[in-house]
Amino acid sequence: MKTATGNTSIMDMFEEGKVVKICAPMVRYSKLAFRSLVRKYSCDVCFTPMIIAADFLRSVKARDSEFTTNTSDRPLIVQFAAQDTQTLADAACVVAPFSDGVDLNCGCPQRWAMSAGYGACLINKPELVKDMVRHVRNQVDNPNYTVSIKIRIHKDLRQTVDLCQKAESAGVSWVTVHGRTTEERHQPVHYDAIKTIKESVSVPVIANGDIKYLRDVESTHQLTGVNGVMAARGLLANPAMFAGYEDTPLQCIWDWVDIAVEQGTPFSCFHHHLIYMLERVSSQPERKVFNSLSSTSAVIDYLQNTYGSIHDLEP
């Protein structure tokens, strides 16, 4: 890893008046290779998958496997799960030379995370979140380094507004709001709640949830007034979504093959991404065949035979 030098603040993006387009933190999926792909297709900012801060600090092996980057992997936000102020601040100091900010996960609704004191249980601990944000601010000596939080909403929105205002008072750079409660999974996103939060703070607010096409970026912005949007499943299905493609273009599929092979992506990850990308554009019999492939060479042969090679795209 090389230390980035002279990087400007990521906050400048929010001042340009455009809606910032962000790749969400996704367990197993938003790793370096996938970040490299979506950056080719109009993604402005990428998050790492959630990293448990305590494990990251405890083990060199965990650091090497959980956090990989390169000089073109910017702007980059490292998302941590943490339950105490010092652990988060120490982890932030480790990654600060190689990234543009850290994000505290206050939104993961999975039972294991909440029972361990991570994720969405933190939305009910506003004073702790406030202290964690302030502690990172005080310990990282780069004034341009961002500290953000990603949250879910409460049933009583006044609690969410209070949480965001407390985080703002501690120096939070921005807030990402997944517009569902901890109990909700596939229910409609509460855009009205995101709008209320946006109107209650002066820092940028990012909307997350159900961003599947580029048109959803604009409609979410219109409904809520947010400064940016974050996509997860929408980008898995179509990494070129932010560039305006309705479905994954062939060029993007071959770009993924090139990046994955070049970076030595494990086959299961390489294959899984392609399963997502091809879901909308392939028939059920085609998917059945593709899902059963078990080697990189078999996948490449299949793609060439079914969709054509990259040379077929050249005029």
Side-chain angles (χ1 to χ4, degrees):
M1 290 190 297
K2 289 181 181 171
T3 303
T5 53
N7 58 311
T8 56
S9 172
I10 202 169
M11 300 306 291
D12 295 342
M13 287 187 165
F14 295 114
E15 291 170 13
E16 292 166 9
K18 66 171 187 172
V19 183
V20 179
K21 299 186 283 292
I22 302 174
C23 176
M26 292 178 279
V27 175
R28 293 187 300 278
Y29 292 122
S30 52
K31 295 198 169 184
L32 175 60
F34 188 67
R35 300 196 300 265
S36 303
L37 179 66
V38 296
R39 289 185 194 281
K40 293 173 75 84
Y41 290 92
S42 303
C43 184
D44 298 316
V45 180
C46 290
F47 274 55
T48 67
M50 180 183 79
I51 300 168
I52 297 175
D55 295 347
F56 184 78
L57 291 172
R58 196 179 300 123
S59 158
V60 173
K61 188 178 177 185
R63 288 198 287 282
D64 290 344
S65 67
E66 293 286 338
F67 182 63
T68 52
T69 185
N70 59 29
T71 51
S72 57
D73 185 30
R74 310 298 287 268
L76 178 65
I77 305 298
V78 183
Q79 192 189 65
F80 284 114
Q83 57 188 193
D84 71 276
T85 54
Q86 195 59 53
T87 301
L88 178 64
D90 289 347
C93 288
V94 173
V95 299
F98 314 103
S99 58
D100 299 277
V102 291
D103 184 82
L104 174 62
N105 185 313
C106 304
C108 179
Q110 293 185 31
R111 214 172 275 122
W112 72 266
M114 292 178 68
S115 64
Y118 301 132
C121 73
L122 291 175
I123 65 174
N124 298 316
K125 300 176 182 178
E127 292 297 336
L128 175 58
V129 171
K130 180 179 175 181
D131 288 345
M132 291 166 98
V133 169
R134 183 178 287 137
H135 220 58
V136 175
R137 271 262 171 267
N138 291 340
Q139 272 199 228
V140 176
D141 59 7
N142 175 2
N144 287 331
Y145 200 69
T146 64
V147 187
S148 55
I149 60 174
K150 184 171 185 289
I151 66 171
R152 283 187 172 236
I153 59 173
H154 298 83
K155 286 195 179 84
D156 180 354
L157 201 58
R158 288 172 298 185
Q159 290 177 264
T160 318
V161 168
D162 176 63
L163 168 69
C164 295
Q165 290 176 340
K166 281 189 166 73
E168 180 178 21
S169 72
V172 83
S173 304
W174 75 79
V175 177
T176 301
V177 182
H178 184 111
R180 294 183 175 97
T181 66
T182 305
E183 292 77 30
E184 292 174 328
R185 292 295 181 270
H186 304 294
Q187 289 89 337
V189 171
H190 299 282
Y191 294 106
D192 53 338
I194 299 174
K195 184 173 190 280
T196 299
I197 293 162
K198 169 61 186 163
E199 291 169 350
S200 303
V201 294
S202 57
V203 294
V205 172
I206 311 297
N208 175 223
D210 285 356
I211 305 293
K212 294 173 183 169
Y213 299 95
L214 185 61
R215 59 181 175 269
D216 298 332
V217 173
E218 187 52 39
S219 62
T220 300
H221 173 64
Q222 295 289 344
L223 284 167
T224 62
V226 289
N227 307 87
V229 296
M230 177 185 283
R233 283 191 295 265
L235 279 177
L236 281 182
N238 177 11
M241 174 185 75
F242 283 147
Y245 292 92
E246 287 285 299
D247 296 308
T248 310
L250 184 58
Q251 177 73 55
C252 181
I253 289 167
W254 285 112
D255 283 342
W256 170 245
V257 172
D258 290 344
I259 290 167
V261 169
E262 181 189 338
Q263 294 192 11
T265 301
F267 176 75
S268 61
C269 180
F270 167 68
H271 191 213
H272 270 142
H273 274 293
L274 285 167
I275 289 171
Y276 279 113
M277 290 182 212
L278 295 171
E279 194 170 10
R280 289 187 200 155
V281 296
S282 57
S283 65
Q284 195 169 2
E286 285 173 339
R287 286 199 295 274
K288 194 173 180 183
V289 172
F290 186 80
N291 293 359
S292 69
L293 300 175
S294 58
S295 72
T296 300
S297 57
V299 166
I300 292 172
D301 287 346
Y302 177 90
L303 292 173
Q304 285 176 334
N305 293 334
T306 309
Y307 301 104
S309 75
I310 199 68
H311 303 295
D312 298 337
L313 297 172
E314 294 168 359

